[in-house]
Amino acid sequence: MLLMLMGVTGCADGGNTANPPVFPEAPQDTKLYDLSILDDESKWTVNNAHDPAIIKTDQGYYVYSTDVRVAGEPTPGVMVRKSDDLIHWKWVGQALPGIPKEALDWTGATNLWAPDIIKAGDTYRLYYSASSFGSTQSAIGLQTSKSPEGPWKDEGLVVKTAGQEKDGLNAIDANPVLDALGNPWMVYGSFFDGIYIAPLDLDTGKFKEEGYGTRIAARDRATEEGAVEGPYIVYNPEFQKYYLFVSYDSLFEDYNVRVARADSITGPYTDMNGNNMLDTEHLPQYEIGTKIMGGYRFTEGEGWVAPGHNSVLKDGDDYYIVHHARGEMDKNWPYLHVRKMLWTKDGWPVVSPERYAGETTQDIPESMIAGTWEGMTLDPAVNGQVQAVPYMLTAKGKIESENGSGIWTFDGKQTLTLSWKESPAGGASTEELRLLPSWDWERSQPALVVTGLNDRGIAVWGKQISAAE
């Protein structure tokens, strides 16, 4: 359901630029840290959702995720959830009755990690990972079914790696993907030797060639910044580019999502500043990869930490990023988040600062922009949470802040540009931001939000707290 936020529709100069936008109605929120549901999987909904992978089917949207459980041992078998609207999620169950024997014998795993799914013809192919934390004694296996809910048939292992190689390839975190011509590939890998991509056989869903494929991303593990994992590739036909999403850093502390793009699915992948994702010599390493999501906190409500290990849904012309995040008060609880993903005019993905509640991109009346706002830059040099700071957009086109000033301009549709003479983050900057009429989950009310990148390739988030009177 959507609602129309009525207000003044005239511009500051007396003209009209757009009709009042339609905002989402209040979604049903999830009670955080709910101890009463610990042992009742049917009530988990978005709880215990780690490393989520999404697919749209004719039966609805399905998310498959790692076997985790707060305050207990998880049941191995790949968690499955379903939704009709990307907002409300229902527990389906475990896809598999446990860990397939071949994967168990090779890895000794106690649960299954980072599944992903793709449909080939009339068959669903579910890939799963088996390993143990900190080891490269790992394997990626394949299950097939005619239904997204199974039953599933074991097709054996796709690739496996041996733990004797301290810095070798780690066969986990599989993402099956089609290139622009419809050819299947798998991007995979985690930490250690980085991220690889290999062609798949169209008929079997397994590796088409011997070996491990081509390495496309890595980090210098001699520093404390060595983690790169959770790869996911999306092709955007509008820009004719492949986009590689990965997660950096510590799973419980400063996990964050980076993106780079390439003309070919096998790379080279470079970020907005031209840095190659294979460059392990560049220091500091945190400068590589355009950071589009990290831990954050607005002034009101609870913040989130360590968002990451994402998948991406392309649903018609709309894109969504699906990931887990941890509440700041107790980082043991991972929750499923779905967010609208937009694109800059230069072809870079940017993520909404608010979880999805049914919002759609719409032209915004200029008269709605002036008011009190708060925002943040998701600086790749900052570990952990970023705190929002307040600023004012005046009806005369000025930006006023305790620690900065500048001017704002608007294209009359959906793009707001903030030109800071001195920004709260320090120095001059220009931020090109997309406006989105959203739901403010922290304050339980509709609100305009913005997302975009500044001229240094740093992601910017913000939301309006109150409109000008």
Side-chain angles (χ1 to χ4, degrees), residues 156-170:
L157 299 184
V158 176
V159 60
K160 60 184 181 180
T161 51
Q164 291 84 356
E165 300 179 38
K166 181 179 179 182
D167 294 319
L169 173 61
N170 194 20

Side-chain angles (χ1 to χ4, degrees), residues 99-113 128-141 157 159-173 188-193 212:
I99 301 172
K101 185 177 186 305
E102 189 177 2
L104 180 62
D105 291 345
W106 178 256
T107 66
T110 58
N111 59 339
L112 296 176
W113 297 351
Y128 63 86
S129 302
S131 187
S132 57
F133 194 79
S135 168
T136 58
Q137 189 76 25
S138 308
I140 294 170
L157 299 184
V159 60
K160 60 184 181 180
T161 51
Q164 291 84 356
E165 300 179 38
K166 181 179 179 182
D167 294 319
L169 173 61
N170 194 20
I172 64 171
D173 293 2
Y188 69 107
S190 173
F191 201 68
F192 301 104
D193 196 39
Y212 296 107

Side-chain angles (χ1 to χ4, degrees), residues 352-365:
S352 173
E354 292 289 350
R355 287 169 283 161
Y356 179 67
E359 61 268 22
T360 60
T361 55
Q362 302 162 62
D363 290 350
I364 304 298

Side-chain angles (χ1 to χ4, degrees), residues 60-347:
Y61 302 94
Y62 285 85
V63 158
Y64 304 78
S65 59
T66 291
D67 301 322
V68 296
R69 185 186 190 120
V70 176
E73 293 297 322
T75 301
V78 176
M79 296 182 182
V80 186
R81 294 168 172 86
K82 181 182 179 181
S83 175
D84 295 324
D85 57 10
L86 296 175
I87 306 167
H88 306 96
W89 293 89
K90 297 179 180 178
W91 175 260
V92 174
Q94 257 82 22
L96 309 178
I99 301 172
K101 185 177 186 305
E102 189 177 2
L104 180 62
D105 291 345
W106 178 256
T107 66
T110 58
N111 59 339
L112 296 176
W113 297 351
D116 200 1
I117 189 168
I118 194 169
K119 192 175 184 183
D122 62 353
T123 300
Y124 291 92
R125 290 173 174 169
L126 176 65
Y127 295 86
Y128 63 86
S129 302
S131 187
S132 57
F133 194 79
S135 168
T136 58
Q137 189 76 25
S138 308
I140 294 170
L142 172 63
Q143 301 271 324
T144 59
S145 176
K146 299 299 181 182
S147 166
E149 296 189 15
W152 297 92
K153 177 185 176 183
D154 184 20
E155 304 289 356
L157 299 184
V158 176
V159 60
K160 60 184 181 180
T161 51
Q164 291 84 356
E165 300 179 38
K166 181 179 179 182
D167 294 319
L169 173 61
N170 194 20
I172 64 171
D173 293 2
N175 166 226
V177 57
L178 300 179
D179 65 21
L181 299 177
N183 301 309
W185 298 76
M186 177 185 288
V187 58
Y188 69 107
S190 173
F191 201 68
F192 301 104
D193 196 39
I195 307 302
Y196 281 68
I197 189 168
L200 296 179
D201 183 275
L202 187 62
D203 295 327
T204 66
K206 296 187 176 183
F207 277 19
K208 188 175 181 179
E209 304 165 354
E210 292 187 5
Y212 296 107
T214 303
R215 189 166 71 154
I216 58 174
R219 300 187 73 195
D220 177 17
R221 291 190 58 234
T223 71
E224 295 181 355
E225 310 164 0
V228 55
E229 58 188 25
Y232 201 93
I233 290 178
V234 171
Y235 179 72
N236 186 320
E238 179 182 356
F239 302 107
Q240 297 183 349
K241 300 283 187 182
Y242 294 92
Y243 293 83
L244 170 66
F245 298 80
V246 293
S247 293
Y248 274 15
D249 301 331
S250 171
L251 190 64
F252 283 87
E253 299 294 335
D254 51 4
Y255 219 38
N256 62 95
V257 175
R258 308 291 178 114
V259 69
R261 70 184 185 185
D263 294 321
S264 167
I265 197 168
T266 56
Y269 284 91
T270 55
D271 65 17
M272 187 176 174
N273 293 315
N275 297 308
N276 191 307
M277 294 295 284
L278 278 171
D279 187 353
T280 59
E281 301 297 324
H282 177 94
L283 293 176
Q285 282 274 283
Y286 63 70
E287 291 183 346
I288 297 178
T290 299
K291 180 179 176 181
I292 59 170
M293 186 165 59
Y296 69 94
R297 193 182 197 286
F298 285 106
T299 301
E300 295 184 46
E302 182 162 359
W304 295 94
V305 298
H309 201 122
N310 72 278
S311 56
V312 174
L313 172 68
K314 184 179 186 301
D315 191 0
D317 294 329
D318 296 317
Y319 289 81
Y320 304 88
I321 189 166
V322 182
H323 64 95
H324 71 256
R326 302 174 189 277
E328 66 178 350
M329 299 302 293
D330 188 341
K331 293 177 286 188
N332 291 302
W333 294 72
Y335 292 93
L336 175 66
H337 283 196
V338 178
R339 297 171 189 266
K340 191 88 167 175
M341 193 165 74
L342 306 176
W343 299 84
T344 69
K345 65 182 181 181
D346 297 325

Side-chain angles (χ1 to χ4, degrees), residues 19-58:
N19 293 321
V22 178
F23 286 74
E25 284 192 346
Q28 182 178 353
D29 205 350
T30 299
K31 180 182 178 182
L32 299 183
Y33 322 123
D34 186 356
L35 299 178
S36 70
I37 67 170
L38 284 177
D39 298 319
D40 188 351
E41 294 175 339
S42 68
K43 296 180 180 179
W44 284 3
T45 62
V46 297
N47 300 283
N48 288 319
H50 206 275
D51 313 326
I54 191 167
I55 188 172
K56 181 182 180 182
T57 77
D58 56 7

